[in-house]
Amino acid sequence: MNPFYFSQGSLPLLVSIPHAGTELTPEVDAGLSEAARGLPDTDWHIPLLYDFVRDLGASVLIGRYSRFVVDLNRPPDNQPLYTTATTGLFPETLFDGTPTFAPGKTPDATARQSYIDQIWQPYHQQIQQELARLKQQHGYALLFDAHSIASEIPRLFEGRLPDINIGTNDGASCTPEMSAAIKAVCAAQHDYSWVLNGRFKGGYITRAYGQPQQQIEAVQLELAQLNYMDETPPYAWQQVRAAELQKVLKAMIHTMLAQARP
């Protein structure tokens, strides 16, 4: 099975959605703990939330497999991205610290290497190919990495997470002008709290491909899920809340496109 969905657009923008997948390999499906079986750490409904970018003309890349198989936003050598609590390339625990797999049911090294070869690598090859195409066609490229997370996870952060969490690898993955433009969008609205390079500074995708000196800018956006869905099973989509949030997301995307120039 193709490990991702991809649709090519006409704008110099690629929207990456690595954590919305729910497909499982046989080994992972057989080994998940009861707590993990409902795939609680999925970025639920993010493709639907960002569906408007297709109409704008953006390219869209969506991972099909669950992060419990392999995390597409972690480096292939599994080096930690944060000094605080986090999960790795092959998550051994859920965000709340509960084991991902039942005792003795963790996929072995051979299986996991196949996940890198057949799922992780193709996703990143597609990012690289599309960014190269966009840069060749437009002279520059934008990468927007879209994520979401429950608003309160005590193991990962204290209190409630801001609604909008922008990550630019502490300013290294995009130009200062791009950061300023995104901040201006957030400051102009008063419905959602926001932070730039707070708890989430950008994962591997943002850090690996954001190269503003090479005319490729990358931004990660981590959204608190309560603003567009229910955070408890069955994780229902909430259309009214989502429509309000989409107003800010659309303004952010439009501003990024207007700001970026070769």
Side-chain angles (χ1 to χ4, degrees), residues 8 28 40 56-57 93 98 101 124 134 169 172 175 186 193 211 223 233 239-240 242 247 255:
Q8 190 173 93
V28 172
L56 293 178
T93 66
T98 304
F101 294 94
H124 285 266
L134 294 177
N169 193 20
T175 63
C186 293
S193 58
Q211 302 173 15
L223 296 170
Q239 177 60 38
V240 173
K247 294 177 182 178
T255 296

Side-chain angles (χ1 to χ4, degrees), residues 44-45 225-231 235-238 241:
W44 298 107
H45 308 299
Q225 291 176 336
L226 84 170
N227 292 297
Y228 72 91
M229 59 170 274
D230 294 340
E231 293 188 342
Y235 308 112
W237 168 261
Q238 294 295 336
R241 279 184 254 161

Side-chain angles (χ1 to χ4, degrees), residues 42-225:
T42 301
D43 287 4
W44 298 107
H45 308 299
I46 284 292
L48 179 58
L49 187 67
Y50 284 94
D51 193 54
F52 67 89
V53 301
R54 298 178 191 271
D55 295 332
L56 293 178
S59 298
V60 180
L61 178 63
I62 306 171
R64 295 183 66 170
Y65 281 88
S66 169
R67 71 192 305 161
F68 294 159
V69 176
V70 61
D71 193 325
L72 299 170
N73 201 28
R74 297 292 184 269
D77 61 4
N78 204 19
Q79 290 299 305
L81 295 175
Y82 296 98
T83 57
T84 52
T86 186
T87 55
L89 182 66
F90 303 108
E92 301 293 345
T93 66
L94 307 183
F95 287 161
D96 65 4
T98 304
T100 305
F101 294 94
K105 295 285 190 175
T106 302
D108 62 24
T110 300
R112 285 182 161 176
Q113 184 59 50
S114 74
Y115 305 160
I116 293 176
D117 296 340
Q118 298 172 23
I119 301 171
W120 192 99
Q121 288 286 2
Y123 191 89
H124 285 266
Q125 288 168 359
Q126 187 63 48
I127 290 178
Q128 294 161 15
Q129 291 170 8
E130 183 61 7
L131 290 177
R133 186 191 72 85
L134 294 177
K135 183 179 175 182
Q136 181 179 33
Q137 180 174 342
H138 299 279
Y140 63 100
L142 295 174
L143 173 61
F144 188 93
D145 206 42
H147 297 263
S148 72
I149 194 169
S151 58
E152 295 188 35
I153 302 180
R155 177 173 172 266
L156 298 186
F157 46 84
E158 294 183 6
R160 177 175 155 177
L161 192 69
D163 298 315
I164 296 172
N165 301 267
I166 308 153
T168 65
N169 193 20
D170 285 327
S173 69
C174 69
T175 63
E177 292 80 11
M178 181 65 74
S179 290
I182 294 171
K183 287 173 63 177
V185 171
C186 293
Q189 59 80 41
H190 304 288
D191 295 323
Y192 304 101
S193 58
W194 61 279
V195 67
L196 174 64
N197 293 314
R199 173 61 179 82
F200 299 97
K201 301 177 186 294
Y204 178 77
I205 291 171
T206 305
R207 302 183 195 200
Y209 301 115
Q211 302 173 15
Q213 69 280 6
Q214 301 297 325
Q215 288 75 54
I216 299 176
E217 300 189 67
V219 174
Q220 175 180 294
L221 187 59
E222 188 92 44
L223 296 170
Q225 291 176 336

